[in-house]
Amino acid sequence: MAEEKEPMFSPKNIKLLTNPINVDNPITKQVLGICSALAVTVKLEPAIVMSLSVLVVLSFGNVIISFMRNGIPSRIRIIVQLVVIAALVILVDQVLKAYAYNVSKQLSVFVGLIITNCIIMGRFEAFAMTNKPWPAFLDGLGNAFGYAWILVAVAFFRELFGTGSLMGLQIIPDSFYEIGYVNNGLVLLPPMALFAVATIIWVQRSRNKDLVED
Amino acid sequence: MQELVNIFVKSMFVDNMVFAYFLGMCSYLAVSKTVKTSVGLGAAVIFVLIITVPVDYLMVKYLLAPGALVWLGPEYASIDLSFLSFIMFIAIIASMVQLVEMIVEKFSPTLYASLGIFLPLIAVNCAILGGSLFMQQREYQSIWEATSFGLGSGIGWFLAIVAIAAIREKIRYSNVPAPLRGLGITFVITGLMGIAFMTFMGIKL
């Protein structure tokens, strides 16, 4: 490349990484990737594995699409993007089946559903198609982290209050149970994930008035 | 016959795509602002599901499952192509969606205009791919069971999006706390509806 190169971590690139974590969060602001965010958050472990899988698919997919951006005819771009995603997801799925079989069983169809995770298509369309590979990689990382922290936060509360443990280890001591503390079974049911995300949205938007919808 | 009805009712209410598995949430949240467009999108989802689930069923049975290629000859019996299922499913879904798009554009240009970007996005609607993946995972016995599952989950999704759209049309006149407006309150309502739908959970079919 002959042109003057931007430094690897210029302020603009740092913004790409940090914006999606808070103000431009994929889940609470862009409304992308809700399905899997809600469904895999009963326990912390699958939530973390799911976030890692999305991280891999999103960042590498962004880079691949960004390398190919000038060669993709716009009429068939959706199918090209889908093929790239599907290939990456098949890789992730096979690796999970080989090295983390139990988690892969818990995630069941949701690994395959990373293909239709709107975060990935959304970022391909909105960013990777028009930007260079390095910023695209950072954008992928940033969005994946934004997605991950919501997942981990929701899963943390649901596992802690639902089963009294984290990552399968008991956190709330037995003495609590003896004086009458009871695990809240309601937290484990699917609808509670929605309330948890709604609470995060509420907190985030009341701290940052710009995000409020009219 | 009874088995078919059971699968139909079960996929519509007990295993409702939206409330039990959170599938298709993105378009569910984004298109549910008015009843009219959500009826259109719901109908498109039913249509796509009822085609793709049986087609994918045949795909699994004669191409992808372990030993499925045996009809080509006994030497193919040991081939297992199931790792290819994601890419096959998504290809079939994408082409079906293209077909639906052309049909809608021809017969109902107003609906086509109001659905806008969300029609092509059905291709990446998790409810559609989820339908095929659940079909593969639950190992339905015949193509009729697969079709009944596809129809049931399509109608379940349709009911869910029309219901939330009706509530959102009404809630516009309510005094919701500002930070919860729009997305937040929709999450809360969906959660409450999910609790209501959980009453079906105890039903054994």
Side-chain angles (χ1 to χ4, degrees), chain A:
Chain A
M1 264 189 271
E3 73 217 79
E4 188 62 35
K5 268 214 297 198
E6 229 183 313
M8 291 275 271
F9 290 100
S10 64
K12 207 176 96 207
N13 285 349
I14 296 287
K15 260 213 146 65
L16 286 178
L17 199 57
T18 55
N19 256 0
I21 294 177
N22 185 17
V23 288
D24 205 15
N25 189 285
I27 292 178
T28 60
K29 182 73 207 335
Q30 304 175 49
V31 205
L32 297 174
I34 312 266
C35 333
S36 52
L38 299 172
V40 299
T41 50
V42 178
K43 287 210 162 70
L44 200 51
E45 196 185 2
I48 292 173
V49 173
M50 184 73 184
S51 314
L52 285 179
S53 316
V54 169
L55 183 89
V56 171
V57 176
L58 184 54
S59 45
F60 287 102
N62 250 358
V63 172
I64 293 172
I65 289 292
S66 170
F67 270 120
M68 302 199 310
R69 67 186 187 279
N70 296 325
I72 304 176
S74 71
R75 284 190 74 88
I76 59 156
R77 64 181 194 285
I78 299 227
I79 203 107
V80 173
Q81 291 165 353
L82 281 175
V83 170
V84 170
I85 303 172
L88 283 167
V89 171
I90 289 175
L91 284 179
V92 168
D93 182 47
Q94 298 291 321
V95 170
L96 281 184
K97 274 192 185 140
Y99 294 104
Y101 190 72
N102 285 333
V103 183
S104 150
K105 266 273 165 280
Q106 279 180 43
L107 289 172
S108 73
V109 299
F110 287 96
V111 179
L113 285 174
I114 297 178
I115 297 176
T116 51
N117 192 323
C118 346
I119 287 191
I120 297 176
M121 280 294 270
R123 292 326 292 171
F124 281 11
E125 276 289 289
F127 199 86
M129 288 298 282
T130 50
N131 282 283
K132 291 209 181 98
W134 174 246
F137 180 69
L138 288 180
D139 180 78
L141 275 187
N143 277 286
F145 280 129
Y147 172 81
W149 83 257
I150 302 253
L151 245 75
V152 170
V154 174
F156 178 83
F157 285 112
R158 285 182 76 188
E159 189 173 0
L160 184 62
F161 293 116
T163 62
S165 54
L166 284 176
M167 307 283 288
L169 297 170
Q170 195 177 343
I171 292 291
I172 295 177
D174 284 331
S175 52
F176 272 51
Y177 292 104
E178 277 155 22
I179 55 172
Y181 176 83
V182 183
N183 282 333
N184 188 349
L186 188 66
V187 182
L188 292 179
L189 298 175
M192 279 314 286
L194 289 158
F195 296 135
V197 177
T199 316
I200 293 176
I201 293 175
W202 194 352
V203 171
Q204 194 189 23
R205 292 195 178 177
S206 48
R207 289 166 59 99
N208 193 339
K209 299 282 183 223
D210 299 341
L211 299 178
V212 174
E213 292 171 45
D214 44 40

